[in-house]
Amino acid sequence: MFTKGNTSLTRKTKLLPCASSVLLVAAACAQTESSAIPGDQEVHERADALLKQMTLDEKIGQLSQLFVFKEPEKVEDAVAKGQVGSLLFVTDPAVINRLQHVAVERSRLHIPLIFGFDVIHGFRTIFPVPLAMAASWDPSVATKAQTIAAEEASSVGIDWAFAPMLDIARDPRWGRIVEGAGEDPYLGSAMAAAQVRGFQGEAIGSPGHVLACMKHFAGYGAAEGGRDYDASYISETQLRNIYLRPFHAAVEAGVGSAMSAYMDVNDVPATGNRWLLQDVLRDEWKFKGFVVSDADAVKSLKTHGYAKDLSEAAVRALNAGVDMEMALDFTAYARNLNAALNSGKVTLQQIEESDRRILEAKIRLGLFAHPYVDEARAKEMLNTPEHRTVARLAAERTAVLLRNEGNLLPLKNGEYKKIAVIGPVADSQMDTIGSWTFQENLPETVSMFSGLRTRFGGAAQLNYEPGVQISRKFPSFFDEWFPLKPEPVWAPEQARAQFKKALSLAKSSDLTVLVLGEAQNMSGEAASRNSLEFPGQQQQLLEEVTAIGKPVVLVLLNGRPLNITWASQHVPAILEAWYPGTQGGNAVANLLAGDVVPGGKLPISWPRNVGQIPINYSHNTTQSPENQGKRYWDEESAPLYPFGFGLSYATFTFSDLKLSQERIKAGQTVEVTADVENTGSVAADEVAQLYIHQQSGSTSRPVRELKGFERIRLAPHAKKTVHFSLGTDELTYWSSATKSWVEEPAMFDVWLGANSQASLHSAFEVVE
Ligand code: BGC
């Protein structure tokens, strides 16, 4: 029998003969080796065999996914009746096994559940947030991190990660900008594919991996005013050239599932949007996985004013192409699809198609053969020092050095005898790990203060003062489900005293590391802002500490660009550390010490202040920059720091840009090379970035578009030739004039350099 702890049925192990339960569907049980991932034909046949035996209620049941935050026993009955296909938010391996036993032993057809969870930037080991990962400009870092995240999550029985989040975001007010790769479709696509590879491994069903889920399909990142969940209005041109590109890259990389977004896009809710889910996703891109709705997004179709009731909501979502409904308590599908079928509003074939996609995923994942997890192994897996090392290396690669006047950094060991570490997030473990974290082991998280103390403590005395407290004006709905440890709020008098204490610490120290930014719950879902100022009294603290006249290093912990215009003029050194994860403090200490040289680059244009939003490097020109260059009379038109920007402790030069041809025909390729030299005195990384501009065409084209990048490491004075290709993939765009993908005859500018303002230039022509 399949009793708990029967390791013959645990994952990553060989399966003994397909056990005694005669009712266990033979076809679904055929997978006997965890390494033997069945082929398409076999998967199809096994799903077919199951479908033939399923009742309508069981078929509808597979399309339902429920949250389980607590009281898992409450869903057992529904699981036993085959009314649920998936659960999310269960993370205890014992509970997962218990519920899986109910599904496998008590449900009529023994169909296992698929367990989903938000594994966004780590499970137990927390990696830098996705925006930071994009700042590494190194997709292999994302693959490594998501491989480990998958390994840890799958060890407790999670089969499916609701990631990668692929929403292009150009408005830092939007809290969820932290979850994606920033503003650019090319960088976003590279990070998308890299994450899919990390989560899924070689193929869906690879041991120690999970099913990936690209989200939120599509257009969520353009929410009006940066207000979370608000409608977005995006032209088809922008959708295809910008917002959809990372999703397409994920499909090409073999992503197994997609999540439909919450909001309206061009007045049609993404979760009821047949154009997106059927025409683009399935018909054009040939996506073969399944689509789950975002939480309660099917029921929300009524809130949107798109469906008149939940029954119509269920019909419109299924008709649009949502296979599985994610819901907090009951699903609209469970309550309405039966009647909808009887009245002819949906067909049995549609329901079965959705079932087939879900069953196929379960078969590919090996859930029928290995439904349970090894609880003992989960414990081991969740305490792996090697994982923490990878997290530190990732954090070191993601930090971006924004300013370093007079080469204040790296800090020379022993030069500063007394170091003050000041700021409300400087010794906060929670604010070091960032937004989507539920399973972290907080005590093992290294705060900035703790990392700095370890690294510099031998030669210097380090002291910490928070200086100010920060908090949200309005709480998040997350606080209700995942209550934060309440911190006593300072009375006004105490707040003044704390501020003074921080100032006097800075005065009596030789150097201050100011760690400012946002608390963990100020970025992420339901965490949009109407300002980019430092929350609370942090700006005042920054100005007063700087006014003391001692050297100041500003370390930023945040999930979005903040207004650091003042700091960029007055504070000598600024390091953007994002939310760097479990090992954040050690990583930042190594960077400040120069043990590691910063090499990250901004994945977003950094606005001077909130009024410049949205601002992105890849805009159209529309008026001559020479004559009418100023877009505002009260502010510069350019961002504070351009997309792709980041300093190093070394310096680099780019030279000798060469194109293989001056003229090509559409369909041919130009090879681009240039030399990059480390002209500094330390080994360091540089990111070679290739940008193009199409000078004329059936529509206006952006001033620059990223079309290639490579992060390279160079010893002092070493030189390397970087190589890129520009062909159909890079030169094709969606034209609003022809309503098609075009590669047009035109002159193309090419720039190669260290950021989106690179000046090394050449050009070539595409002829008919
Ligand atoms: C978020 C999704 C997430 C889901 C499940 C939703 O509120 O938008 O990104 O995957 O919850 O937690």
Side-chain angles (χ1 to χ4, degrees):
M1 289 301 291
F2 304 145
T3 50
K4 194 164 159 182
N6 175 352
T7 49
S8 67
L9 287 174
T10 56
R11 294 176 208 173
K12 282 197 154 185
T13 56
K14 275 192 178 179
L15 180 72
L16 297 175
C18 211
S20 55
S21 181
V22 263
L23 281 177
L24 188 73
V25 179
C29 191
Q31 195 170 327
T32 52
E33 294 268 339
S34 58
S35 54
I37 300 170
D40 289 353
Q41 179 67 21
E42 187 190 333
V43 170
H44 212 68
E45 284 167 12
R46 284 161 63 179
D48 248 354
L50 272 172
L51 272 168
K52 285 203 179 99
Q53 301 173 62
M54 288 165 79
T55 63
L56 179 60
D57 283 349
E58 284 164 345
K59 286 176 186 165
I60 294 172
Q62 282 302 308
L63 313 187
S64 290
Q65 182 190 48
L66 294 179
F67 278 87
V68 178
F69 291 124
K70 42 191 168 188
E71 304 178 300
E73 57 287 350
K74 287 206 170 150
V75 292
E76 280 184 14
D77 215 37
V79 172
K81 288 183 182 145
Q83 292 169 344
V84 184
S86 173
L87 297 174
L88 75 157
F89 264 86
V90 199
T91 52
D92 178 340
V95 179
I96 287 183
N97 272 345
R98 201 175 85 214
L99 291 165
Q100 192 67 296
H101 274 284
V102 174
V104 172
E105 289 163 26
R106 285 172 49 200
S107 78
R108 198 179 67 91
L109 290 176
H110 315 282
I111 300 175
L113 293 160
I114 175 169
F115 290 90
F117 192 59
D118 289 290
V119 186
I120 312 295
H121 52 109
F123 186 70
R124 149 89 178 243
T125 308
I126 305 299
F127 293 92
V129 290
L131 188 62
M133 283 298 201
S136 73
W137 290 62
D138 180 356
S140 74
V141 173
T143 302
K144 267 186 217 136
Q146 301 303 29
T147 302
I148 288 174
E151 201 172 2
E152 292 188 355
S154 66
S155 79
V156 304
I158 287 161
D159 315 298
W160 181 19
F162 300 127
M165 191 279 213
L166 304 181
D167 296 311
I168 295 287
R170 297 177 160 190
D171 188 336
R173 291 172 299 182
W174 190 50
R176 303 196 79 168
I177 193 171
V178 64
E179 288 177 57
E183 77 180 41
D184 185 69
Y186 188 88
L187 180 61
S189 297
M191 298 311 287
Q195 291 188 75
V196 170
R197 281 195 293 276
F199 282 122
Q200 295 189 170
E202 293 280 295
I204 296 169
S206 300
H209 286 270
V210 294
L211 189 72
C213 181
M214 62 176 191
K215 71 184 189 186
H216 307 83
F217 198 65
Y220 190 14
E224 280 195 315
R227 290 178 295 271
D228 208 358
Y229 315 120
D230 261 3
S232 60
Y233 291 90
I234 315 175
S235 67
E236 184 172 358
T237 319
Q238 286 179 312
L239 268 170
R240 290 189 179 274
N241 289 325
I242 301 162
Y243 290 89
L244 294 181
R245 281 199 192 242
F247 290 98
H248 193 199
V251 171
E252 298 276 287
V255 72
S257 72
M259 186 185 291
S260 67
Y262 276 133
M263 62 331 120
D264 289 332
V265 53
N266 303 330
D267 291 337
V268 180
T271 295
N273 199 313
R274 197 173 158 81
W275 179 76
L276 274 174
L277 296 172
Q278 184 63 43
D279 300 358
V280 175
L281 184 62
R282 295 203 183 280
D283 297 347
E284 286 180 30
W285 297 354
K286 314 288 176 221
F287 172 67
K288 296 278 180 285
F290 71 95
V291 175
V292 64
S293 74
D294 204 336
D296 274 348
V298 174
K299 289 183 232 166
S300 288
L301 295 183
K302 181 170 175 315
T303 316
H304 289 236
Y306 186 68
K308 67 175 187 290
D309 52 26
L310 293 194
S311 164
E312 192 173 55
V315 168
R316 295 191 89 167
L318 191 78
N319 282 338
V322 174
D323 301 304
M324 181 185 275
E325 180 186 353
M326 179 194 291
L328 282 168
D329 35 31
F330 67 94
T331 63
Y333 277 12
R335 296 206 177 162
N336 297 289
L337 284 186
N338 204 321
L341 179 68
N342 288 335
S343 59
K345 289 185 179 142
V346 299
T347 65
L348 184 60
Q349 195 194 346
Q350 275 178 291
I351 294 175
E352 288 183 345
E353 263 314 296
S354 291
D355 275 317
R356 172 188 301 288
R357 294 178 188 129
I358 294 161
L359 291 172
E360 287 192 357
K362 290 183 176 185
I363 294 167
R364 281 183 209 283
L365 284 167
L367 293 181
F368 287 90
H370 310 286
Y372 309 120
V373 277
D374 180 342
E375 291 166 37
R377 191 174 160 273
K379 278 204 190 89
E380 270 169 47
M381 187 52 68
L382 296 188
N383 189 7
T384 315
E386 298 82 54
H387 292 183
R388 292 197 279 282
T389 304
V390 180
R392 177 175 56 73
L393 294 172
E396 289 169 356
R397 272 178 105 64
T398 55
V400 183
L401 182 64
L402 295 175
R403 187 171 151 92
N404 194 17
E405 286 303 291
N407 292 330
L408 174 60
L409 296 177
L411 302 175
K412 284 131 214 108
N413 219 2
E415 188 168 334
Y416 304 98
K417 294 277 174 268
K418 221 178 145 198
I419 299 177
V421 181
I422 295 177
V425 290
D427 197 26
S428 159
Q429 289 165 313
M430 202 63 194
D431 302 325
T432 303
I433 54 177
S435 47
W436 274 103
T437 50
F438 300 102
Q439 295 301 310
E440 75 282 354
N441 177 0
L442 208 50
E444 82 188 5
T445 302
V446 184
S447 73
M448 295 300 113
F449 177 53
S450 147
L452 290 166
R453 202 175 34 194
T454 309
R455 178 62 186 77
F456 293 98
Q461 183 196 336
L462 277 89
N463 297 294
Y464 159 70
E465 281 298 335
V468 301
Q469 270 188 325
I470 54 174
S471 63
R472 286 172 60 129
K473 181 170 176 182
F474 302 118
S476 160
F477 68 86
F478 278 107
D479 300 348
E480 202 183 305
W481 290 335
F482 309 99
L484 297 169
K485 226 170 71 211
E487 266 192 35
V489 178
W490 297 339
E493 223 168 86
Q494 193 188 359
R496 278 193 292 277
Q498 289 284 355
F499 197 94
K500 275 196 190 143
K501 248 170 111 182
L503 288 186
S504 62
L505 175 63
K507 268 185 208 143
S508 65
S509 302
D510 305 317
L511 168 106
T512 296
V513 179
L514 258 178
V515 187
L516 304 182
E518 295 182 316
Q520 179 255 2
N521 66 353
M522 292 176 175
S523 254
E525 185 172 354
S528 289
R529 298 187 61 191
N530 84 338
S531 151
L532 297 183
E533 302 303 317
F534 284 111
Q537 304 296 302
Q538 293 183 95
Q539 180 68 27
Q540 197 187 337
L541 184 67
L542 170 71
E543 293 186 17
E544 295 198 21
V545 167
T546 310
I548 292 168
K550 302 269 183 76
V552 174
V553 176
L554 173 61
V555 173
L556 298 169
L557 291 194
N558 49 5
R560 55 159 66 84
L562 295 169
N563 183 346
I564 55 165
T565 300
W566 187 91
S568 74
Q569 292 153 2
H570 298 95
V571 180
I574 308 176
L575 182 76
E576 170 57 85
W578 315 102
Y579 294 117
T582 301
Q583 281 284 309
N586 286 338
V588 166
N590 289 346
L591 288 157
L592 296 190
D595 304 338
V596 180
V597 179
K601 303 276 183 172
L602 293 177
I604 27 173
S605 307
W606 194 293
R608 288 167 197 273
N609 65 42
V610 76
Q612 280 191 325
I613 296 169
I615 189 163
N616 60 279
Y617 82 94
S618 194
H619 58 83
N620 291 3
T621 314
T622 69
Q623 209 21 304
S624 138
E626 287 82 31
N627 301 331
Q628 306 218 329
K630 285 264 173 279
R631 296 316 194 237
Y632 305 110
W633 63 256
D634 63 346
E635 187 49 280
E636 297 293 333
S637 312
L640 184 63
Y641 298 113
F643 174 80
F645 175 81
L647 299 171
S648 167
Y649 300 150
T651 45
F652 295 89
T653 56
F654 286 78
S655 61
D656 213 11
L657 176 58
K658 285 194 195 122
L659 307 188
S660 60
Q661 277 134 288
E662 283 174 13
R663 204 161 286 113
I664 57 167
K665 286 194 178 144
Q668 295 180 331
T669 301
V670 176
E671 305 299 332
V672 182
T673 56
D675 290 343
V676 190
E677 186 178 356
N678 180 346
T679 47
S681 55
V682 286
D685 289 5
E686 179 57 297
V687 180
Q689 303 171 32
L690 174 80
Y691 294 88
I692 63 163
H693 167 58
Q694 181 176 332
Q695 292 184 4
S696 63
S698 61
T699 70
S700 308
R701 300 300 299 139
V703 287
R704 289 192 183 199
E705 292 176 279
L706 181 72
K707 291 295 174 186
F709 65 88
E710 189 187 353
R711 182 166 174 159
I712 54 172
R713 183 159 189 80
L714 287 174
H717 312 299
K719 203 188 234 185
K720 187 179 169 187
T721 303
V722 286
H723 180 279
F724 300 97
S725 299
L726 290 172
T728 299
D729 282 354
E730 290 75 24
L731 305 179
T732 299
Y733 75 98
W734 179 268
S735 165
S736 61
T738 63
K739 301 246 175 314
S740 62
W741 293 101
V742 291
E743 186 183 356
E744 298 178 326
M747 283 301 295
F748 283 84
D749 295 298
V750 178
W751 293 270
L752 218 149
N755 62 57
S756 58
Q757 290 178 351
S759 56
L760 192 63
H761 175 262
S762 188
F764 68 95
E765 188 176 10
V766 175
V767 293
E768 304 260 15

